[in-house]
Amino acid sequence: MKRGPAGLLLACAAACVGAARPARAYVRYYTEAGAPFAWSEATLPVTAYVRDFDQQTMTSDQVLDAVTSAAAAWSAAQNACTYLTLEPAISDDPPPRAVNDAHNSLIFRNTSWCQLAPDGSCEIDYDASALAFTWDTANKMTGQIYDADIEVNLVDFQWADVVADPSQRDDMDLQNALTHEMGHFVGLDHTCFNPLSAGTGPRPKDNTGAPVPDCDVAPAAVQQTTMYPSAMPGDTQKRTLSPDDQAGLCGIYPAGQRPPGDGPLRGGCTQCAAGGGQPAPLELAVTGALVIWAGRRRRRT
Ligand SMILES: [Zn+2]
């Protein structure tokens, strides 16, 4: 068949459309040594300490549903392209501190919003406009995550299940925020950069090597990601992963690959692998993810 100009035009059109469409972009945490954060197990337990969730705006069933639904959003049952599963458990015990104790905790902070000292006093105040924080602790050289803890700010914000109770859309949607936090939990960073945010490091690059945009001028596709770092009252958009978020999950933990921690070496060599045994503090990179900040604050009375 003779190839005429129409064929070229078609080919060009296809190529141009392909080039113009942004690649699926996601952003990972990196250690100072340049290693990307990642878990080495396929199943990640996380214990939600629900005792201190004392707001009347949500039933205990709604809190449980928010936790399990947020975990499911990042798990294989809802994402055929990954092997990862987050496995939440519920506890009525007093919550631990958010520290590297090889125990992943989801903690509701209802009396203070700060980094706690061992004696329970406040060591460092958190930003009162932060809805939640996730702390990932990883090996500096390998990026292997050892521990992740999520803290939710009940001191400055009122939470709700905005889908079940649309009349509470002036509150913050718990599932929305938890789904974002669990993205940090699996090792993802924000999809944009806020130069005004306290403690911000250099502008991160996404998986394609492109610097992430400023948050306030980010394209709609970035603003619609679960890992976009801002939420307004009533926002439920982050409950569902965007294609970019899913690309991050499945790029790091792809279905069909064996998780590093499930290899045969692991069973016979738990103490000699990089992640084996209790790591010394110097080996650790701790990332405090300034999580979502809200458009406006809502202080409890
Ligand atoms: Zn965040």
Side-chain angles (χ1 to χ4, degrees):
M1 203 178 86
K2 213 168 94 176
R3 285 181 181 272
L8 282 174
L9 265 179
L10 276 177
C12 175
C16 292
V17 168
R21 200 177 62 198
R24 292 295 169 222
Y26 58 91
V27 187
R28 301 178 69 171
Y29 286 132
Y30 287 87
T31 69
E32 298 153 36
F37 278 45
W39 292 92
S40 65
E41 300 85 14
T43 302
L44 309 180
V46 53
T47 302
Y49 293 88
V50 296
R51 188 196 69 171
D52 290 348
F53 193 100
D54 58 356
Q55 298 187 347
Q56 303 306 308
T57 42
M58 289 185 82
T59 67
S60 54
D61 281 350
Q62 286 176 334
V63 174
L64 298 191
D65 188 53
V67 172
T68 53
S69 299
W74 293 97
S75 295
Q78 285 186 24
N79 304 276
C81 56
T82 185
Y83 60 71
L84 198 70
T85 294
L86 275 61
E87 208 167 65
I90 305 299
S91 172
D92 290 319
D93 292 340
R97 287 192 303 139
V99 293
N100 173 31
D101 54 5
H103 177 73
N104 306 321
S105 304
L106 196 173
I107 301 159
F108 294 106
R109 301 290 302 274
N110 67 337
T111 56
S112 62
W113 184 235
C114 59
Q115 195 169 322
L116 290 175
D119 67 0
S121 63
C122 274
E123 251 174 2
I124 303 168
D125 283 338
Y126 293 158
D127 182 343
S129 64
L131 292 166
F133 275 104
T134 299
W135 303 96
D136 285 3
T137 304
N139 183 297
K140 267 185 187 169
M141 299 313 295
T142 66
Q144 182 188 347
I145 304 174
Y146 295 124
D147 179 276
D149 300 311
I150 298 170
E151 296 183 282
V152 181
N153 183 353
L154 272 65
V155 174
D156 298 294
F157 295 96
Q158 190 103 32
W159 297 90
D161 181 337
V162 173
V163 172
D165 298 319
S167 65
Q168 299 195 120
R169 66 177 73 88
D170 286 342
D171 294 335
M172 303 306 303
D173 185 70
L174 182 62
Q175 184 180 329
N176 191 65
L178 289 182
T179 310
H180 175 94
E181 296 315 311
M182 289 188 187
H184 292 310
F185 188 98
V186 304
L188 289 173
D189 198 351
H190 291 146
T191 45
C192 64
F193 181 66
N194 181 3
L196 301 177
S197 177
T200 297
R203 180 184 300 268
K205 290 180 176 161
D206 67 22
N207 58 304
T208 72
V212 300
D214 278 0
C215 293
D216 55 355
V217 295
V222 170
Q223 297 199 20
Q224 286 158 9
T225 59
T226 292
M227 296 317 293
Y228 184 76
S230 174
M232 296 295 286
D235 180 7
T236 58
Q237 184 170 263
K238 292 175 179 62
R239 285 183 173 208
T240 311
L241 302 196
S242 75
D244 284 1
D245 301 306
Q246 194 184 52
L249 171 67
C250 298
I252 305 171
Y253 309 101
Q257 279 191 24
R258 181 191 282 259
D262 282 3
L265 268 179
R266 177 88 173 185
C269 192
T270 52
Q271 292 304 314
C272 53
Q278 191 63 22
L282 279 177
E283 290 181 292
L284 302 177
V286 178
T287 294
L290 167 64
V291 190
I292 303 184
W293 66 87
R296 63 191 163 100
R297 280 169 63 185
R298 188 176 170 84
R299 187 171 283 280
R300 282 200 302 161
T301 50

